[in-house]
Amino acid sequence: KKPGKAETGETIHHHFPKLMMLVRDSQFDLKKDGKSINPNEYLEDALSPVPGMTKAIKQKNEIRESIKEFFKVREAYVLIRPVFEEEQLLKLEDVPYQELRPQFITAMNELVARVHRTATAKQIYSEAEKKFYKINGKIFLEIAEQYVEAINKGEALNVTTTWE
């Protein structure tokens, strides 16, 4: 990255984690053009640009493109409703674990295991030293505070200079 140049998905995506989208309480079959699709195909389809030239459509397409640029690695998961009854769903925090649907519990346990298997430590690349550093919670908090300060001041965010 050249000094003073804005970071893009091509230069900044390695700072972002894997995107994991979760659709919970799914009651529909994932389909496109009448054919079943898997959750990842659903996600990629949802990130496809929609036709049109209105301001709102352009803005939605920009958001979709940004997600695709910044999150090069992405996955989607679909979970069924954890309970059948609407009243229980509205107060899910009060539902005992053993009353959740077995299929939901199994799918949730698989998802949690996958997150534990695939999650990696946050890393920051030092341009000055040409290497990655794993960051801990304290450093992450310091970086987040610098981001919030920059946003509040209306300044441009720069991951590289924040780290260095």
Side-chain angles (χ1 to χ4, degrees):
K1 177 181 103 48
K2 295 180 181 174
K5 186 176 179 189
E7 293 179 301
T8 67
E10 291 182 27
T11 60
I12 197 173
H13 71 86
H14 60 270
H15 293 289
F16 284 79
K18 172 188 202 173
L19 174 67
M20 298 178 87
M21 182 184 86
L22 174 62
V23 178
R24 202 195 84 186
D25 301 348
S26 177
Q27 297 181 33
F28 60 94
D29 291 328
L30 300 178
K31 293 190 178 200
K32 180 175 181 183
D33 300 326
K35 295 181 183 178
S36 292
I37 59 174
N38 67 41
N40 291 329
E41 292 168 326
Y42 175 80
L43 172 58
E44 294 307 313
D45 186 55
L47 293 174
S48 296
V50 294
M53 298 304 291
T54 67
K55 184 178 178 179
I57 289 175
K58 286 181 182 179
Q59 190 174 28
K60 287 179 185 179
N61 285 338
E62 285 176 14
I63 292 168
R64 289 178 168 117
E65 192 58 39
S66 292
I67 291 170
K68 288 176 10 183
E69 278 186 44
F70 294 132
F71 297 96
K72 298 290 187 185
V73 180
R74 45 192 181 265
E75 289 183 84
Y77 299 90
V78 177
L79 292 177
I80 62 171
R81 288 174 63 140
V83 292
F84 288 110
E85 299 299 324
E86 190 70 26
E87 298 81 31
Q88 285 184 305
L89 191 59
L90 294 172
K91 295 184 179 187
L92 193 57
E93 67 276 4
D94 297 331
V95 177
Y97 183 77
Q98 61 275 13
E99 290 184 25
L100 299 175
R101 293 172 65 188
Q103 305 93 323
F104 175 83
I105 292 171
T106 300
M108 180 54 80
N109 288 338
E110 289 171 4
L111 176 59
V112 168
R114 177 145 184 91
V115 169
H116 285 278
R117 267 193 326 274
T118 62
T120 58
K122 175 70 177 141
Q123 296 185 39
I124 297 289
Y125 183 73
S126 170
E127 189 69 41
E129 298 180 36
K130 305 289 186 214
K131 69 179 192 177
F132 283 95
Y133 287 93
K134 290 183 180 177
I135 64 170
N136 60 28
K138 181 181 179 208
I139 294 171
F140 185 78
L141 179 60
E142 289 173 9
I143 291 170
E145 287 172 342
Q146 289 182 28
Y147 287 171
V148 169
E149 184 178 330
I151 290 168
N152 287 339
K153 290 181 178 178
E155 298 173 352
L157 297 178
N158 187 320
V159 173
T160 306
T161 58
T162 300
W163 167 245
E164 295 174 0

